[in-house]
Amino acid sequence: METGKQFVKWLRPAGCAAVLILTVLATVLLFTAKGAPVEGYEPAESAEYYAGHVDELLTEIENDLLPRLDAPGVELALSDGVIAVTGPKQALHTVRLAIIHYFDKDLFEFTEVPE
């Protein structure tokens, strides 16, 4: 008997259904995750406002959001209406989660730099 058939036989129909349900739930969770909130931070304006005022968004992140995060080495730059965020892997991950929680991720370009 092939390995896959043997595994399905061992699981039985209820086990197969459970595996399928867990797979669907995990996929939905991964595609709908919206970042991580930052304690004590609220943007001064709405995400829609900042989508039209990217320069003000850059200032908001530099002055109000980044100081609340433990993210050394992260740098921001505005280029062609997109904010380029660069930094070491762990710091960039922390900043990315915070940014996409509050703002549209299409306004940003995240680039990892070696430590």
Side-chain angles (χ1 to χ4, degrees):
M1 188 179 290
E2 295 174 21
T3 306
K5 287 181 182 178
Q6 189 176 16
F7 181 68
V8 170
K9 185 177 178 184
W10 177 76
L11 275 179
R12 304 195 187 236
C16 290
V19 168
L20 287 173
I21 290 170
L22 288 174
T23 301
V24 168
L25 289 174
T27 303
V28 168
L29 179 65
L30 288 172
F31 284 108
T32 60
K34 184 73 170 112
V38 176
E39 187 177 327
Y41 175 74
E42 281 298 321
E45 300 288 341
S46 68
E48 293 78 22
Y49 174 83
Y50 284 127
H53 302 88
V54 182
D55 55 333
E56 291 182 35
L57 175 58
L58 175 66
T59 304
E60 171 72 17
I61 293 171
E62 285 179 331
N63 296 337
D64 296 330
L65 183 59
L66 279 184
R68 297 172 189 267
L69 301 171
D70 182 26
V74 173
E75 296 180 6
L76 304 172
L78 184 59
S79 175
D80 298 325
V82 175
I83 298 174
V85 184
T86 58
K89 183 177 184 176
Q90 187 58 41
L92 187 65
H93 177 71
T94 302
V95 170
R96 183 182 185 284
L97 285 176
I99 286 174
I100 66 171
H101 180 76
Y102 296 103
F103 309 107
D104 182 6
K105 67 182 176 186
D106 294 333
L107 298 174
F108 300 90
E109 183 178 289
F110 299 94
T111 307
E112 182 182 327
V113 295
E115 292 184 40

